[in-house]
Each structure stands twice: as structure tokens, then as C-alpha cells.
Amino acid sequence: MKNRMRVEFDSISANEAFARVVVAAFMAQLNPSMEEVADVKTAVSEAVTNAIIHGYQGQVHTVEICGETEGRRLTVQIKDTGVGIPDVEKAMEPLYTSRPEAGRSGMGFLFMEAFMDEVQVESEPGKGTCVTMCKQIGTDGD
Amino acid sequence: MKKKRRTQKPERLKLEGTTLYIRVPGELDHHSADEISRSADRMLEEQNIRRMIFDFSDTGFCDSSGIGMLMGRYKMMKALGGEVRAVQVGERVAKILMLSGIMKIIPVERAEGGMER
């Protein structure tokens, strides 16, 4: 069965928790394990935090999340229309951060990649960033 | 109209001698990590602190912002000749800390018996 959802919210840090809960509720239909839910929540949190801190640099604009399930496959897209990433490959290097002074660990993409099966980043400077992440749910036997 | 009783916000920071205890909230993300970092840094400026102990008893969620928070405090305390430690760490948070490699520089004590999922 195929299912889709879309949600938009302001890019304020209090909405990071909201974004995690929305995606967790959406994926509940796939009857995931607690660990799978925690993994997806962490990955979503990373992408949404990036949109808020880096994409919009603290200004309030809109973050969009699209979710899709098809069979046991979950796809989550996190989009912003912020500053974009000039060099995606470099941004995805472990420990790289454009803002070391702001207490950023540089591990956001590392965590997204560790907890999801696929992570794809499309970005254009001045236009924004779209992170697409997929995960097969229920692979550890149910 | 019914009056709702609001539970008081628990005190997150507690100073005992030169040790600052920080009770980490249930979800440690960019939002809450910034809040904690700010108040811990303020304490560090005002008081003579040699140890910072982060208590993860309540924490079931942590992302890379939590790692950033710990790393930042570790650097500050190291510069002052002090130390940082994480205690009462449950299973999920332990997984995140392990993945980040921060366990190599900050001592991490697991919650007794683990916080089972």
C-alpha cells in the first residue's frame, strides 16, 4: 500500500521535536520496531536542525517535510528554501562544520547516513536544500 | 473554569562544591542543547567549577547537537584543567555517543542495568 503526507512549519528550534513526532507517527503504519523509530527520529532531527541553523541561519521561514511509504519502504524528504550548500560533498564529510564556533559537532550527515539506508542531498546556493532519506522498515524480522 | 496545576520546571543545574551537576532533559536536541549550554556556560563564568557531570537519567533521545554540547563543554573544562563526565546513560544515548566517538575523550557511565527499550 502506498501512502503520503506533507507538513510545513516555521523554522524555529522548538519545532525540531514536532518534526520528529510527526514522522514517527506517520511511520507507525509500517509497524516499526522501537529502534527503527528512534533511528528515523534522529535522522529527521539532524536534517531539520540543518535547515533551521544552516539553511535559514536562524531566520524564520518554512521547513517542509514530505513522507511516503510504499510497501515496507519509508521515504522522508526535508526541504528548505534557504541559502543552500555550495559544496555538498564537503558538507557531508564527517566532522566538517561550517560553524565550529556555534558548538556544532559536524556529525549531522554522519548520523543521517548511519541510521537510514539511503541519504541523498540536493542543494543549490541561494535556492535551498532538499534531503531525501529512505529506510526499509521491518527488516529485522517481525 | 478549572485551574490546571502546572508541575514546576525541574532545576537542571546544581552546584556542589566545585562540581556542576547538569540534569539533561528527556530529549537532547539543538533546541534543548542550546539552552543547557547557555546556562552551564553562565555558571562557569560566575563560579569556580572543576567538574561538570551530565546526568542522562531522563534522556531517551539525543542527536548530534547533544554531541556538540558535550564537546564544547569538554573543550572549556579542559582549558581550565577540569573534567567532564556523562553518567546514567541509557541504551539509546549510549548508541549515539558510541557512534560519535566521544567516549574516547569523555568518561561515560552507563545506567545500571541499562535503560531497556
Side-chain angles (χ1 to χ4, degrees), chain A residues 107-133:
Chain A
M107 290 180 184
F109 281 119
L110 176 81
F111 282 13
M112 288 181 234
E113 287 181 319
F115 293 129
M116 302 296 283
D117 298 337
E118 286 165 46
V119 178
Q120 203 190 336
V121 182
E122 288 162 80
S123 191
E124 199 179 325
K127 291 268 171 69
T129 301
C130 175
V131 176
T132 307
M133 307 187 282

Side-chain angles (χ1 to χ4, degrees), chain A residues 1 5-6 10 42 47-49 61 67 73 96 108-109 111 119 138:
Chain A
M1 199 187 78
M5 70 95 169
R6 194 172 76 89
D10 281 351
T42 307
V48 170
T49 302
H61 297 287
R73 186 179 164 90
Y96 171 80
F109 281 119
F111 282 13
V119 178

